Amino acid sequence: MPILQIRLHNISLENADSVIKGLSSSVASIVGKPESYVMVSLLDGLKGCFGGTTDPYAYVTLENIGNIPSEKKEQLANAVSSALGLSASRQFMRFMNFERSDLVFNM
């Protein structure tokens, strides 16, 4: 169950719904899991400072059952960067893996 969480600072997206839906499809395709199990969460308009400036930036987390290979991580980072329209130098993406036993779904 991939869970993509995006925190956008100093910027709001007018096309948030289409960005979220597009990233849902991209994550499913790249990770190789059904989109019906993908979650995407977007928090935009947050205030923050990164690198001494208030230029727009993103902090992104992808949680997934099992490990994601390095080449897939690069594809995911590129998909997020492209969807958000931010320079790769203004975003960080953290990958977190967990075991199936750590998640309860559809109880």
Side-chain angles (χ1 to χ4, degrees):
M1 172 173 229
I3 304 166
L4 182 68
Q5 298 179 20
I6 303 165
R7 293 165 194 84
L8 276 179
H9 298 80
N10 310 320
I11 188 172
S12 292
L13 295 179
E14 292 181 19
N15 60 341
D17 286 349
S18 64
V19 168
I20 291 168
K21 289 176 184 176
L23 284 171
S24 177
S25 175
S26 294
V27 168
S29 174
I30 294 168
V31 176
K33 296 194 177 173
E35 190 171 3
S36 59
Y37 290 107
V38 175
M39 284 186 200
V40 178
S41 174
L42 172 68
L43 294 171
D44 64 351
L46 300 171
K47 299 296 180 194
C49 177
F50 167 56
T53 76
T54 56
D55 292 342
Y57 69 96
Y59 180 75
V60 182
T61 304
L62 181 73
E63 299 176 51
N64 186 60
I65 295 173
N67 189 36
I68 298 174
S70 294
E71 64 274 2
K72 300 277 185 184
K73 290 178 182 177
E74 185 176 343
Q75 291 175 10
L76 288 161
N78 289 337
V80 170
S81 182
S82 176
L84 298 178
L86 288 177
S87 165
S89 66
R90 298 298 295 169
Q91 77 176 32
F92 278 94
M93 189 163 185
R94 180 179 182 199
F95 294 89
M96 300 172 63
N97 307 317
F98 55 91
E99 299 297 321
R100 182 174 307 278
S101 61
D102 294 331
L103 184 68
V104 177
F105 173 69
N106 202 14
M107 301 186 306

